[in-house]
Amino acid sequence: MGRVTERRRTLRIRDGAVSERPDTLVAEEPLEIRLDGRPLAVTMRTPGDDFALAAGFLVSEGVLGAASELRTIVYCAGAREDGSNTYNVVDVRLAPGVPVPDITLERNVYTTSSCGLCGKASLDAVRTTARFPVDDSPPVRVTPALLSLLPDRLRAAQRVFDRTGGLHAAALFTPEGELVDVREDVGRHNAVDKLVGRALREDRLPLSRSILLVSGRASFELAQKAVMAGVPVLAAVSAPSSLAVDLAAESGLTLVGFLRGNGMNVYTGAERIDVRDGA
């Protein structure tokens, strides 16, 4: 399996002083996901948690919703001339009786910001494929003070970021602010898929008592992944997109952006944010 980081020689310039030194970079390699032996998708990712990444991707695509629907995930033989495994191809086998989508047709890739589909089509696609409506009964309630603590807790858990400065991260917290899981990846969407895939394989879906925090902006794709996993609260340290806000409003997702220091913007689902006495 590929390494998470790699070393490269660099020319370092600081305040006019020039030196050569090695630098630690985050690794980026393609991962091909196959479904029952047939190519489905390719994503650029940081090696590690590949099986969780594949499973989480299939949750986002509406193919999987429970651990019982997953039969196996294995690495396929690689493409090197000597026949050795590249560990860049995984094959997901569904359990007997689980419908296999018709991947001979053009995939409905409404998950990407550049897909060119109109907003209405994108929202309809999520609504028709979501397994878990956002249903946190009793409703999750969090205070702004608790939310403001989460970015630092996420940052403290980013071990690879400390060495590279080049990774996104996503984390799951309980409504009390306890860190449940954290994943890092060169792509925000991959980090979330790794979280969701681990939850699926441990039979923890839907994530109806969870707060999902992402280290960057909240795109439509990330809001979609939260909805597909049944997450009631999505928080981001940067801005959301307009379509992410539309999806959150339609699905009942609480969407928080610009979560920095003691400040934040609540775009949808404000009923889950307990602001009594300015808390």
Side-chain angles (χ1 to χ4, degrees), residues 58-161:
L58 290 174
V59 171
S60 297
E61 292 291 305
V63 177
L64 291 174
S68 60
E69 298 175 350
L70 177 61
R71 183 178 179 184
T72 60
I73 305 179
V74 297
Y75 284 108
C76 301
R80 293 194 181 102
E81 292 183 2
D82 61 3
S84 61
N85 203 323
T86 63
Y87 295 101
N88 284 336
V89 182
V90 297
D91 186 25
V92 181
R93 299 279 173 168
L94 303 181
V98 177
V100 179
D102 185 0
I103 57 179
T104 61
L105 301 177
E106 182 179 356
R107 290 182 58 246
N108 184 17
V109 285
Y110 58 85
T111 58
T112 62
S113 300
S114 59
C115 65
L117 293 176
C118 69
K120 183 63 165 57
S122 302
L123 296 175
D124 286 346
V126 177
R127 181 171 54 247
T128 58
T129 57
R131 296 277 196 101
F132 311 113
V134 177
D135 182 19
D136 49 329
S137 300
V140 167
R141 295 278 287 176
V142 294
T143 65
L146 183 142
L147 284 174
S148 68
L149 297 175
L150 302 188
D152 285 343
R153 293 178 183 178
L154 170 60
R155 178 67 183 82
Q158 289 185 253
R159 293 179 297 175
V160 181
F161 182 88

Side-chain angles (χ1 to χ4, degrees), residues 1 7 50 53 65-66 121 222 250 266:
M1 185 183 303
R7 301 282 278 176
D50 290 336
L53 171 56
L222 294 186
E250 179 168 315
V266 181

